[in-house]
Amino acid sequence: MTSLPVAVPPFAKPRSRTLRTVRRWALMIGGLLVVLLGLLIAPLPGPGGVPVMAVGLILILKSSFWAKRQFIRAQYARPKWVYPFRRLMRKKPEFAPVFWQQALRAEKVVVKRSGRRLSRGRKQLRRYFRKLFR
């Protein structure tokens, strides 16, 4: 039995190795610049620097094998710290729940138990919606 040659469309050509390495290096340099931008924004009021640095770290993780290995090591060492980044790196990330969860976690660390406003407000909203939909 003979095999027929398969026509490959022009858009399906495999990329050259140099193009892939240039793309990886461009993503890594872009990620480093975004992380540096996040560090510059961090002293300003509000949480502006943290999400920017998270985006930069995600760019670096997508392009660097060494960073991926370090990320996996960190995941085994501190799963609670790494979990939000893993949620943000999914194909369809959930931005609002991740940032809300991190705000509550940061509030637990910084504020005394009696002064926690976010968790108290969250509980009040939950009670309100439960009463509303009963």
Side-chain angles (χ1 to χ4, degrees):
M1 184 170 204
T2 61
S3 62
L4 296 173
V6 179
V8 178
F11 59 84
K13 289 182 182 177
R15 291 186 186 176
S16 68
R17 186 177 183 144
T18 56
L19 185 62
R20 279 184 278 163
T21 56
V22 167
R23 182 177 175 266
R24 273 188 46 221
W25 277 98
L27 277 174
M28 192 147 39
I29 291 171
L32 286 171
L33 290 175
V34 172
V35 169
L36 290 175
L37 177 71
L39 286 173
L40 290 174
I41 295 173
L44 298 175
V50 175
V52 173
M53 285 189 289
V55 169
L57 288 173
I58 290 169
L59 286 174
I60 292 171
L61 282 173
K62 292 221 180 244
S63 61
S64 170
F65 298 119
W66 175 82
K68 286 178 189 175
R69 284 195 303 268
Q70 296 302 319
F71 186 74
I72 290 170
R73 282 185 186 163
Q75 183 179 353
Y76 285 123
R78 304 262 191 249
K80 286 186 179 180
W81 293 7
V82 175
Y83 180 68
F85 291 105
R86 288 186 53 84
R87 284 179 71 184
L88 288 174
M89 289 188 333
R90 292 179 184 166
K91 288 197 180 210
K92 293 182 181 178
E94 310 156 334
F95 289 104
V98 169
F99 288 117
W100 178 257
Q101 180 186 23
Q102 292 310 309
L104 290 175
R105 197 174 279 167
E107 185 187 34
K108 249 185 204 178
V109 171
V110 175
V111 182
K112 294 179 187 176
R113 181 164 260 219
S114 62
R116 294 184 188 159
R117 298 182 193 281
L118 288 177
S119 59
R120 193 178 322 140
R122 180 176 51 97
K123 288 176 185 176
Q124 288 174 350
L125 273 173
R126 186 182 294 165
R127 285 186 203 125
Y128 172 75
F129 281 116
R130 282 183 183 164
K131 286 180 185 177
L132 186 66
F133 291 111
R134 279 190 180 174

